PDB file of all heavy atoms in Angstrom:
ATOM      1  N   LEU A 749      -5.983   8.498 150.011  1.00  0.00           N
ATOM      2  CA  LEU A 749      -5.479   8.330 148.655  1.00  0.00           C
ATOM      3  C   LEU A 749      -3.957   8.433 148.661  1.00  0.00           C
ATOM      4  O   LEU A 749      -3.377   9.170 149.459  1.00  0.00           O
ATOM      5  CB  LEU A 749      -6.048   9.401 147.731  1.00  0.00           C
ATOM      6  CG  LEU A 749      -7.567   9.533 147.664  1.00  0.00           C
ATOM      7  CD1 LEU A 749      -7.946  10.609 146.651  1.00  0.00           C
ATOM      8  CD2 LEU A 749      -8.214   8.218 147.327  1.00  0.00           C
ATOM      9  N   SER A 750      -3.336   7.698 147.763  1.00  0.00           N
ATOM     10  CA  SER A 750      -1.888   7.778 147.600  1.00  0.00           C
ATOM     11  C   SER A 750      -1.556   8.061 146.143  1.00  0.00           C
ATOM     12  O   SER A 750      -2.295   7.665 145.241  1.00  0.00           O
ATOM     13  CB  SER A 750      -1.219   6.476 148.027  1.00  0.00           C
ATOM     14  OG  SER A 750      -1.354   6.276 149.410  1.00  0.00           O
ATOM     15  N   CYS A 751      -0.437   8.713 145.952  1.00  0.00           N
ATOM     16  CA  CYS A 751       0.054   9.009 144.605  1.00  0.00           C
ATOM     17  C   CYS A 751       1.535   8.626 144.583  1.00  0.00           C
ATOM     18  O   CYS A 751       2.353   9.260 145.259  1.00  0.00           O
ATOM     19  CB  CYS A 751      -0.133  10.477 144.287  1.00  0.00           C
ATOM     20  SG  CYS A 751       0.605  10.995 142.725  1.00  0.00           S
ATOM     21  N   ALA A 752       1.842   7.591 143.835  1.00  0.00           N
ATOM     22  CA  ALA A 752       3.228   7.133 143.720  1.00  0.00           C
ATOM     23  C   ALA A 752       3.894   7.832 142.550  1.00  0.00           C
ATOM     24  O   ALA A 752       3.351   7.858 141.443  1.00  0.00           O
ATOM     25  CB  ALA A 752       3.255   5.628 143.519  1.00  0.00           C
ATOM     26  N   ALA A 753       5.061   8.373 142.800  1.00  0.00           N
ATOM     27  CA  ALA A 753       5.792   9.104 141.765  1.00  0.00           C
ATOM     28  C   ALA A 753       7.043   8.344 141.359  1.00  0.00           C
ATOM     29  O   ALA A 753       7.702   7.725 142.190  1.00  0.00           O
ATOM     30  CB  ALA A 753       6.175  10.488 142.264  1.00  0.00           C
ATOM     31  N   SER A 754       7.356   8.402 140.101  1.00  0.00           N
ATOM     32  CA  SER A 754       8.593   7.816 139.612  1.00  0.00           C
ATOM     33  C   SER A 754       9.321   8.850 138.783  1.00  0.00           C
ATOM     34  O   SER A 754       8.708   9.749 138.213  1.00  0.00           O
ATOM     35  CB  SER A 754       8.311   6.579 138.763  1.00  0.00           C
ATOM     36  OG  SER A 754       7.504   6.903 137.653  1.00  0.00           O
ATOM     37  N   GLY A 755      10.629   8.753 138.729  1.00  0.00           N
ATOM     38  CA  GLY A 755      11.421   9.720 137.985  1.00  0.00           C
ATOM     39  C   GLY A 755      12.448  10.354 138.881  1.00  0.00           C
ATOM     40  O   GLY A 755      12.227  10.535 140.082  1.00  0.00           O
ATOM     41  N   PRO A 756      13.570  10.703 138.329  1.00  0.00           N
ATOM     42  CA  PRO A 756      14.690  11.174 139.140  1.00  0.00           C
ATOM     43  C   PRO A 756      14.509  12.552 139.754  1.00  0.00           C
ATOM     44  O   PRO A 756      15.221  12.905 140.677  1.00  0.00           O
ATOM     45  CB  PRO A 756      15.849  11.176 138.132  1.00  0.00           C
ATOM     46  CG  PRO A 756      15.200  11.356 136.806  1.00  0.00           C
ATOM     47  CD  PRO A 756      13.880  10.625 136.911  1.00  0.00           C
ATOM     48  N   THR A 757      13.555  13.358 139.246  1.00  0.00           N
ATOM     49  CA  THR A 757      13.429  14.731 139.727  1.00  0.00           C
ATOM     50  C   THR A 757      12.215  14.946 140.603  1.00  0.00           C
ATOM     51  O   THR A 757      11.779  16.072 140.811  1.00  0.00           O
ATOM     52  CB  THR A 757      13.374  15.704 138.542  1.00  0.00           C
ATOM     53  OG1 THR A 757      12.250  15.354 137.711  1.00  0.00           O
ATOM     54  CG2 THR A 757      14.654  15.662 137.734  1.00  0.00           C
ATOM     55  N   PHE A 758      11.634  13.885 141.129  1.00  0.00           N
ATOM     56  CA  PHE A 758      10.438  14.024 141.957  1.00  0.00           C
ATOM     57  C   PHE A 758      10.642  15.015 143.082  1.00  0.00           C
ATOM     58  O   PHE A 758       9.751  15.793 143.412  1.00  0.00           O
ATOM     59  CB  PHE A 758      10.021  12.660 142.511  1.00  0.00           C
ATOM     60  CG  PHE A 758       8.964  12.747 143.578  1.00  0.00           C
ATOM     61  CD1 PHE A 758       7.650  12.994 143.233  1.00  0.00           C
ATOM     62  CD2 PHE A 758       9.284  12.602 144.916  1.00  0.00           C
ATOM     63  CE1 PHE A 758       6.667  13.083 144.218  1.00  0.00           C
ATOM     64  CE2 PHE A 758       8.311  12.685 145.900  1.00  0.00           C
ATOM     65  CZ  PHE A 758       6.998  12.928 145.548  1.00  0.00           C
ATOM     66  N   LYS A 759      11.807  15.011 143.705  1.00  0.00           N
ATOM     67  CA  LYS A 759      12.044  15.856 144.875  1.00  0.00           C
ATOM     68  C   LYS A 759      11.950  17.345 144.543  1.00  0.00           C
ATOM     69  O   LYS A 759      11.805  18.162 145.430  1.00  0.00           O
ATOM     70  CB  LYS A 759      13.414  15.553 145.479  1.00  0.00           C
ATOM     71  CG  LYS A 759      14.589  15.833 144.533  1.00  0.00           C
ATOM     72  CD  LYS A 759      15.902  15.515 145.219  1.00  0.00           C
ATOM     73  CE  LYS A 759      17.078  15.759 144.278  1.00  0.00           C
ATOM     74  NZ  LYS A 759      17.167  17.155 143.836  1.00  0.00           N
ATOM     75  N   ASP A 760      12.018  17.697 143.284  1.00  0.00           N
ATOM     76  CA  ASP A 760      11.967  19.096 142.885  1.00  0.00           C
ATOM     77  C   ASP A 760      10.551  19.595 142.608  1.00  0.00           C
ATOM     78  O   ASP A 760      10.346  20.794 142.399  1.00  0.00           O
ATOM     79  CB  ASP A 760      12.796  19.305 141.620  1.00  0.00           C
ATOM     80  CG  ASP A 760      14.267  18.960 141.840  1.00  0.00           C
ATOM     81  OD1 ASP A 760      14.765  19.200 142.955  1.00  0.00           O
ATOM     82  OD2 ASP A 760      14.887  18.447 140.894  1.00  0.00           O
ATOM     83  N   TYR A 761       9.578  18.696 142.583  1.00  0.00           N
ATOM     84  CA  TYR A 761       8.220  19.054 142.189  1.00  0.00           C
ATOM     85  C   TYR A 761       7.345  19.402 143.390  1.00  0.00           C
ATOM     86  O   TYR A 761       7.405  18.760 144.437  1.00  0.00           O
ATOM     87  CB  TYR A 761       7.554  17.893 141.450  1.00  0.00           C
ATOM     88  CG  TYR A 761       7.966  17.747 140.010  1.00  0.00           C
ATOM     89  CD1 TYR A 761       9.039  16.936 139.647  1.00  0.00           C
ATOM     90  CD2 TYR A 761       7.267  18.396 139.004  1.00  0.00           C
ATOM     91  CE1 TYR A 761       9.411  16.785 138.320  1.00  0.00           C
ATOM     92  CE2 TYR A 761       7.627  18.241 137.672  1.00  0.00           C
ATOM     93  CZ  TYR A 761       8.700  17.444 137.339  1.00  0.00           C
ATOM     94  OH  TYR A 761       9.060  17.301 136.025  1.00  0.00           O
ATOM     95  N   ASN A 762       6.524  20.419 143.207  1.00  0.00           N
ATOM     96  CA  ASN A 762       5.394  20.643 144.094  1.00  0.00           C
ATOM     97  C   ASN A 762       4.286  19.686 143.644  1.00  0.00           C
ATOM     98  O   ASN A 762       4.134  19.419 142.448  1.00  0.00           O
ATOM     99  CB  ASN A 762       4.899  22.086 143.978  1.00  0.00           C
ATOM    100  CG  ASN A 762       6.012  23.081 144.236  1.00  0.00           C
ATOM    101  OD1 ASN A 762       6.579  23.122 145.310  1.00  0.00           O
ATOM    102  ND2 ASN A 762       6.334  23.893 143.221  1.00  0.00           N
ATOM    103  N   MET A 763       3.521  19.163 144.595  1.00  0.00           N
ATOM    104  CA  MET A 763       2.541  18.127 144.264  1.00  0.00           C
ATOM    105  C   MET A 763       1.156  18.540 144.747  1.00  0.00           C
ATOM    106  O   MET A 763       1.038  19.198 145.789  1.00  0.00           O
ATOM    107  CB  MET A 763       2.926  16.803 144.940  1.00  0.00           C
ATOM    108  CG  MET A 763       4.335  16.339 144.665  1.00  0.00           C
ATOM    109  SD  MET A 763       4.537  15.726 142.997  1.00  0.00           S
ATOM    110  CE  MET A 763       3.475  14.287 143.047  1.00  0.00           C
ATOM    111  N   GLY A 764       0.153  18.101 144.021  1.00  0.00           N
ATOM    112  CA  GLY A 764      -1.185  18.476 144.437  1.00  0.00           C
ATOM    113  C   GLY A 764      -2.235  17.447 144.070  1.00  0.00           C
ATOM    114  O   GLY A 764      -1.981  16.517 143.301  1.00  0.00           O
ATOM    115  N   TRP A 765      -3.416  17.627 144.641  1.00  0.00           N
ATOM    116  CA  TRP A 765      -4.589  16.815 144.339  1.00  0.00           C
ATOM    117  C   TRP A 765      -5.673  17.706 143.757  1.00  0.00           C
ATOM    118  O   TRP A 765      -5.894  18.831 144.235  1.00  0.00           O
ATOM    119  CB  TRP A 765      -5.125  16.130 145.592  1.00  0.00           C
ATOM    120  CG  TRP A 765      -4.267  15.021 146.082  1.00  0.00           C
ATOM    121  CD1 TRP A 765      -3.317  15.080 147.048  1.00  0.00           C
ATOM    122  CD2 TRP A 765      -4.288  13.654 145.633  1.00  0.00           C
ATOM    123  NE1 TRP A 765      -2.740  13.846 147.220  1.00  0.00           N
ATOM    124  CE2 TRP A 765      -3.313  12.960 146.366  1.00  0.00           C
ATOM    125  CE3 TRP A 765      -5.031  12.953 144.680  1.00  0.00           C
ATOM    126  CZ2 TRP A 765      -3.066  11.598 146.178  1.00  0.00           C
ATOM    127  CZ3 TRP A 765      -4.794  11.609 144.493  1.00  0.00           C
ATOM    128  CH2 TRP A 765      -3.818  10.946 145.235  1.00  0.00           C
ATOM    129  N   PHE A 766      -6.337  17.182 142.764  1.00  0.00           N
ATOM    130  CA  PHE A 766      -7.457  17.844 142.121  1.00  0.00           C
ATOM    131  C   PHE A 766      -8.595  16.836 142.007  1.00  0.00           C
ATOM    132  O   PHE A 766      -8.372  15.636 142.160  1.00  0.00           O
ATOM    133  CB  PHE A 766      -7.054  18.337 140.725  1.00  0.00           C
ATOM    134  CG  PHE A 766      -5.946  19.354 140.748  1.00  0.00           C
ATOM    135  CD1 PHE A 766      -4.630  18.977 140.942  1.00  0.00           C
ATOM    136  CD2 PHE A 766      -6.234  20.706 140.587  1.00  0.00           C
ATOM    137  CE1 PHE A 766      -3.599  19.911 140.981  1.00  0.00           C
ATOM    138  CE2 PHE A 766      -5.222  21.655 140.620  1.00  0.00           C
ATOM    139  CZ  PHE A 766      -3.914  21.252 140.821  1.00  0.00           C
ATOM    140  N   ARG A 767      -9.792  17.309 141.755  1.00  0.00           N
ATOM    141  CA  ARG A 767     -10.910  16.395 141.577  1.00  0.00           C
ATOM    142  C   ARG A 767     -11.866  16.937 140.538  1.00  0.00           C
ATOM    143  O   ARG A 767     -11.941  18.145 140.308  1.00  0.00           O
ATOM    144  CB  ARG A 767     -11.633  16.158 142.902  1.00  0.00           C
ATOM    145  CG  ARG A 767     -12.330  17.378 143.473  1.00  0.00           C
ATOM    146  CD  ARG A 767     -12.872  17.062 144.859  1.00  0.00           C
ATOM    147  NE  ARG A 767     -13.601  18.191 145.434  1.00  0.00           N
ATOM    148  CZ  ARG A 767     -14.064  18.223 146.674  1.00  0.00           C
ATOM    149  NH1 ARG A 767     -13.871  17.176 147.500  1.00  0.00           N
ATOM    150  NH2 ARG A 767     -14.722  19.278 147.120  1.00  0.00           N
ATOM    151  N   GLN A 768     -12.587  16.005 139.934  1.00  0.00           N
ATOM    152  CA  GLN A 768     -13.592  16.378 138.944  1.00  0.00           C
ATOM    153  C   GLN A 768     -14.814  15.498 139.124  1.00  0.00           C
ATOM    154  O   GLN A 768     -14.731  14.269 138.982  1.00  0.00           O
ATOM    155  CB  GLN A 768     -13.044  16.259 137.526  1.00  0.00           C
ATOM    156  CG  GLN A 768     -13.976  16.803 136.472  1.00  0.00           C
ATOM    157  CD  GLN A 768     -13.304  16.994 135.132  1.00  0.00           C
ATOM    158  OE1 GLN A 768     -12.227  16.443 134.869  1.00  0.00           O
ATOM    159  NE2 GLN A 768     -13.910  17.784 134.263  1.00  0.00           N
ATOM    160  N   ALA A 769     -15.918  16.134 139.439  1.00  0.00           N
ATOM    161  CA  ALA A 769     -17.187  15.423 139.557  1.00  0.00           C
ATOM    162  C   ALA A 769     -17.878  15.393 138.205  1.00  0.00           C
ATOM    163  O   ALA A 769     -17.591  16.222 137.332  1.00  0.00           O
ATOM    164  CB  ALA A 769     -18.070  16.103 140.596  1.00  0.00           C
ATOM    165  N   VAL A 770     -18.803  14.477 138.055  1.00  0.00           N
ATOM    166  CA  VAL A 770     -19.531  14.351 136.791  1.00  0.00           C
ATOM    167  C   VAL A 770     -20.264  15.650 136.487  1.00  0.00           C
ATOM    168  O   VAL A 770     -20.965  16.196 137.343  1.00  0.00           O
ATOM    169  CB  VAL A 770     -20.523  13.175 136.860  1.00  0.00           C
ATOM    170  CG1 VAL A 770     -21.384  13.131 135.614  1.00  0.00           C
ATOM    171  CG2 VAL A 770     -19.763  11.859 137.031  1.00  0.00           C
ATOM    172  N   GLY A 771     -20.053  16.161 135.294  1.00  0.00           N
ATOM    173  CA  GLY A 771     -20.739  17.367 134.870  1.00  0.00           C
ATOM    174  C   GLY A 771     -20.156  18.656 135.401  1.00  0.00           C
ATOM    175  O   GLY A 771     -20.729  19.735 135.188  1.00  0.00           O
ATOM    176  N   LYS A 772     -19.007  18.575 136.097  1.00  0.00           N
ATOM    177  CA  LYS A 772     -18.403  19.776 136.669  1.00  0.00           C
ATOM    178  C   LYS A 772     -16.970  19.947 136.169  1.00  0.00           C
ATOM    179  O   LYS A 772     -16.356  19.006 135.656  1.00  0.00           O
ATOM    180  CB  LYS A 772     -18.421  19.708 138.192  1.00  0.00           C
ATOM    181  CG  LYS A 772     -19.811  19.731 138.786  1.00  0.00           C
ATOM    182  CD  LYS A 772     -19.763  19.882 140.291  1.00  0.00           C
ATOM    183  CE  LYS A 772     -21.151  19.990 140.874  1.00  0.00           C
ATOM    184  NZ  LYS A 772     -21.128  20.165 142.354  1.00  0.00           N
ATOM    185  N   GLU A 773     -16.451  21.149 136.353  1.00  0.00           N
ATOM    186  CA  GLU A 773     -15.070  21.426 135.994  1.00  0.00           C
ATOM    187  C   GLU A 773     -14.122  20.815 137.034  1.00  0.00           C
ATOM    188  O   GLU A 773     -14.491  20.608 138.185  1.00  0.00           O
ATOM    189  CB  GLU A 773     -14.838  22.947 135.939  1.00  0.00           C
ATOM    190  CG  GLU A 773     -15.670  23.682 134.905  1.00  0.00           C
ATOM    191  CD  GLU A 773     -15.245  23.334 133.490  1.00  0.00           C
ATOM    192  OE1 GLU A 773     -14.028  23.205 133.250  1.00  0.00           O
ATOM    193  OE2 GLU A 773     -16.134  23.175 132.636  1.00  0.00           O
ATOM    194  N   ARG A 774     -12.900  20.539 136.592  1.00  0.00           N
ATOM    195  CA  ARG A 774     -11.893  20.066 137.518  1.00  0.00           C
ATOM    196  C   ARG A 774     -11.576  21.172 138.520  1.00  0.00           C
ATOM    197  O   ARG A 774     -11.494  22.349 138.147  1.00  0.00           O
ATOM    198  CB  ARG A 774     -10.627  19.662 136.768  1.00  0.00           C
ATOM    199  CG  ARG A 774      -9.595  18.953 137.625  1.00  0.00           C
ATOM    200  CD  ARG A 774      -8.481  18.370 136.792  1.00  0.00           C
ATOM    201  NE  ARG A 774      -8.974  17.339 135.877  1.00  0.00           N
ATOM    202  CZ  ARG A 774      -8.190  16.552 135.145  1.00  0.00           C
ATOM    203  NH1 ARG A 774      -6.874  16.696 135.215  1.00  0.00           N
ATOM    204  NH2 ARG A 774      -8.711  15.655 134.336  1.00  0.00           N
ATOM    205  N   GLU A 775     -11.394  20.819 139.793  1.00  0.00           N
ATOM    206  CA  GLU A 775     -11.114  21.818 140.809  1.00  0.00           C
ATOM    207  C   GLU A 775      -9.926  21.414 141.671  1.00  0.00           C
ATOM    208  O   GLU A 775      -9.657  20.227 141.869  1.00  0.00           O
ATOM    209  CB  GLU A 775     -12.340  22.057 141.704  1.00  0.00           C
ATOM    210  CG  GLU A 775     -12.775  20.863 142.514  1.00  0.00           C
ATOM    211  CD  GLU A 775     -13.940  21.188 143.445  1.00  0.00           C
ATOM    212  OE1 GLU A 775     -14.428  22.333 143.457  1.00  0.00           O
ATOM    213  OE2 GLU A 775     -14.349  20.275 144.195  1.00  0.00           O
ATOM    214  N   PHE A 776      -9.256  22.411 142.191  1.00  0.00           N
ATOM    215  CA  PHE A 776      -8.119  22.214 143.079  1.00  0.00           C
ATOM    216  C   PHE A 776      -8.619  21.713 144.431  1.00  0.00           C
ATOM    217  O   PHE A 776      -9.653  22.141 144.932  1.00  0.00           O
ATOM    218  CB  PHE A 776      -7.377  23.537 143.248  1.00  0.00           C
ATOM    219  CG  PHE A 776      -6.353  23.533 144.347  1.00  0.00           C
ATOM    220  CD1 PHE A 776      -5.109  22.982 144.152  1.00  0.00           C
ATOM    221  CD2 PHE A 776      -6.665  24.074 145.575  1.00  0.00           C
ATOM    222  CE1 PHE A 776      -4.170  22.966 145.168  1.00  0.00           C
ATOM    223  CE2 PHE A 776      -5.730  24.070 146.607  1.00  0.00           C
ATOM    224  CZ  PHE A 776      -4.483  23.514 146.399  1.00  0.00           C
ATOM    225  N   VAL A 777      -7.837  20.791 145.053  1.00  0.00           N
ATOM    226  CA  VAL A 777      -8.187  20.266 146.372  1.00  0.00           C
ATOM    227  C   VAL A 777      -7.125  20.638 147.406  1.00  0.00           C
ATOM    228  O   VAL A 777      -7.417  21.258 148.420  1.00  0.00           O
ATOM    229  CB  VAL A 777      -8.365  18.738 146.324  1.00  0.00           C
ATOM    230  CG1 VAL A 777      -8.622  18.188 147.717  1.00  0.00           C
ATOM    231  CG2 VAL A 777      -9.500  18.354 145.385  1.00  0.00           C
ATOM    232  N   ALA A 778      -5.878  20.229 147.161  1.00  0.00           N
ATOM    233  CA  ALA A 778      -4.814  20.462 148.136  1.00  0.00           C
ATOM    234  C   ALA A 778      -3.465  20.350 147.449  1.00  0.00           C
ATOM    235  O   ALA A 778      -3.347  19.687 146.418  1.00  0.00           O
ATOM    236  CB  ALA A 778      -4.898  19.446 149.274  1.00  0.00           C
ATOM    237  N   ALA A 779      -2.454  21.003 148.038  1.00  0.00           N
ATOM    238  CA  ALA A 779      -1.107  20.946 147.472  1.00  0.00           C
ATOM    239  C   ALA A 779      -0.065  20.973 148.580  1.00  0.00           C
ATOM    240  O   ALA A 779      -0.304  21.508 149.669  1.00  0.00           O
ATOM    241  CB  ALA A 779      -0.878  22.110 146.507  1.00  0.00           C
ATOM    242  N   VAL A 780       1.091  20.391 148.286  1.00  0.00           N
ATOM    243  CA  VAL A 780       2.236  20.415 149.190  1.00  0.00           C
ATOM    244  C   VAL A 780       3.464  20.796 148.379  1.00  0.00           C
ATOM    245  O   VAL A 780       3.635  20.331 147.249  1.00  0.00           O
ATOM    246  CB  VAL A 780       2.410  19.053 149.891  1.00  0.00           C
ATOM    247  CG1 VAL A 780       2.594  17.906 148.911  1.00  0.00           C
ATOM    248  CG2 VAL A 780       3.560  19.095 150.899  1.00  0.00           C
ATOM    249  N   ASP A 781       4.310  21.649 148.940  1.00  0.00           N
ATOM    250  CA  ASP A 781       5.449  22.105 148.158  1.00  0.00           C
ATOM    251  C   ASP A 781       6.570  21.066 148.168  1.00  0.00           C
ATOM    252  O   ASP A 781       6.477  20.022 148.816  1.00  0.00           O
ATOM    253  CB  ASP A 781       5.934  23.472 148.639  1.00  0.00           C
ATOM    254  CG  ASP A 781       6.627  23.439 149.996  1.00  0.00           C
ATOM    255  OD1 ASP A 781       6.846  22.349 150.556  1.00  0.00           O
ATOM    256  OD2 ASP A 781       6.938  24.526 150.506  1.00  0.00           O
ATOM    257  N   TRP A 782       7.626  21.352 147.449  1.00  0.00           N
ATOM    258  CA  TRP A 782       8.714  20.392 147.265  1.00  0.00           C
ATOM    259  C   TRP A 782       9.357  19.991 148.589  1.00  0.00           C
ATOM    260  O   TRP A 782       9.857  18.877 148.712  1.00  0.00           O
ATOM    261  CB  TRP A 782       9.777  20.980 146.318  1.00  0.00           C
ATOM    262  CG  TRP A 782      10.450  22.204 146.897  1.00  0.00           C
ATOM    263  CD1 TRP A 782      10.048  23.490 146.771  1.00  0.00           C
ATOM    264  CD2 TRP A 782      11.609  22.233 147.727  1.00  0.00           C
ATOM    265  NE1 TRP A 782      10.885  24.327 147.462  1.00  0.00           N
ATOM    266  CE2 TRP A 782      11.864  23.580 148.060  1.00  0.00           C
ATOM    267  CE3 TRP A 782      12.474  21.244 148.215  1.00  0.00           C
ATOM    268  CZ2 TRP A 782      12.928  23.964 148.846  1.00  0.00           C
ATOM    269  CZ3 TRP A 782      13.545  21.625 149.008  1.00  0.00           C
ATOM    270  CH2 TRP A 782      13.767  22.976 149.319  1.00  0.00           C
ATOM    271  N   SER A 783       9.328  20.883 149.604  1.00  0.00           N
ATOM    272  CA  SER A 783       9.973  20.588 150.878  1.00  0.00           C
ATOM    273  C   SER A 783       9.105  19.715 151.782  1.00  0.00           C
ATOM    274  O   SER A 783       9.602  19.096 152.720  1.00  0.00           O
ATOM    275  CB  SER A 783      10.300  21.886 151.610  1.00  0.00           C
ATOM    276  OG  SER A 783       9.113  22.479 152.125  1.00  0.00           O
ATOM    277  N   GLY A 784       7.816  19.729 151.519  1.00  0.00           N
ATOM    278  CA  GLY A 784       6.881  19.026 152.387  1.00  0.00           C
ATOM    279  C   GLY A 784       6.356  19.864 153.526  1.00  0.00           C
ATOM    280  O   GLY A 784       5.441  19.441 154.238  1.00  0.00           O
ATOM    281  N   PHE A 785       6.867  21.057 153.698  1.00  0.00           N
ATOM    282  CA  PHE A 785       6.462  21.887 154.833  1.00  0.00           C
ATOM    283  C   PHE A 785       5.365  22.893 154.464  1.00  0.00           C
ATOM    284  O   PHE A 785       4.645  23.362 155.325  1.00  0.00           O
ATOM    285  CB  PHE A 785       7.674  22.629 155.398  1.00  0.00           C
ATOM    286  CG  PHE A 785       8.666  21.723 156.059  1.00  0.00           C
ATOM    287  CD1 PHE A 785       9.854  21.395 155.434  1.00  0.00           C
ATOM    288  CD2 PHE A 785       8.392  21.178 157.304  1.00  0.00           C
ATOM    289  CE1 PHE A 785      10.768  20.543 156.046  1.00  0.00           C
ATOM    290  CE2 PHE A 785       9.305  20.327 157.919  1.00  0.00           C
ATOM    291  CZ  PHE A 785      10.494  20.010 157.285  1.00  0.00           C
ATOM    292  N   GLY A 786       5.259  23.232 153.205  1.00  0.00           N
ATOM    293  CA  GLY A 786       4.241  24.177 152.776  1.00  0.00           C
ATOM    294  C   GLY A 786       3.042  23.461 152.218  1.00  0.00           C
ATOM    295  O   GLY A 786       3.178  22.611 151.327  1.00  0.00           O
ATOM    296  N   THR A 787       1.848  23.780 152.719  1.00  0.00           N
ATOM    297  CA  THR A 787       0.624  23.168 152.223  1.00  0.00           C
ATOM    298  C   THR A 787      -0.424  24.233 151.966  1.00  0.00           C
ATOM    299  O   THR A 787      -0.358  25.345 152.509  1.00  0.00           O
ATOM    300  CB  THR A 787       0.051  22.142 153.218  1.00  0.00           C
ATOM    301  OG1 THR A 787      -0.202  22.789 154.474  1.00  0.00           O
ATOM    302  CG2 THR A 787       1.003  20.985 153.428  1.00  0.00           C
ATOM    303  N   TYR A 788      -1.399  23.864 151.150  1.00  0.00           N
ATOM    304  CA  TYR A 788      -2.476  24.797 150.802  1.00  0.00           C
ATOM    305  C   TYR A 788      -3.703  23.971 150.474  1.00  0.00           C
ATOM    306  O   TYR A 788      -3.598  22.918 149.831  1.00  0.00           O
ATOM    307  CB  TYR A 788      -2.058  25.656 149.614  1.00  0.00           C
ATOM    308  CG  TYR A 788      -3.054  26.704 149.207  1.00  0.00           C
ATOM    309  CD1 TYR A 788      -3.320  27.796 150.031  1.00  0.00           C
ATOM    310  CD2 TYR A 788      -3.736  26.614 147.998  1.00  0.00           C
ATOM    311  CE1 TYR A 788      -4.239  28.760 149.656  1.00  0.00           C
ATOM    312  CE2 TYR A 788      -4.640  27.590 147.613  1.00  0.00           C
ATOM    313  CZ  TYR A 788      -4.891  28.653 148.445  1.00  0.00           C
ATOM    314  OH  TYR A 788      -5.795  29.614 148.076  1.00  0.00           O
TER     315      TYR A 788
END
């Protein structure tokens, strides 16, 4: 999957992926910090 970002302050944002299955709550999947070196 890819996520394209637009806007002048993208480099300052931590970014993440979430998912929601039918009939379930949205859940956290993965995240990367603004530097690109920190992941969870």
Side-chain angles (χ1 to χ4, degrees):
L749 305 182
S750 293
C751 173
S754 60
T757 59
F758 169 76
K759 62 180 179 61
D760 299 325
Y761 281 91
N762 305 298
M763 307 287 295
W765 288 96
F766 298 77
R767 66 187 182 187
Q768 188 166 17
V770 174
K772 294 189 177 181
E773 298 291 321
R774 189 170 297 188
E775 64 176 1
F776 168 80
V777 176
V780 58
D781 71 6
W782 64 271
S783 73
F785 292 104
T787 58
Y788 183 68

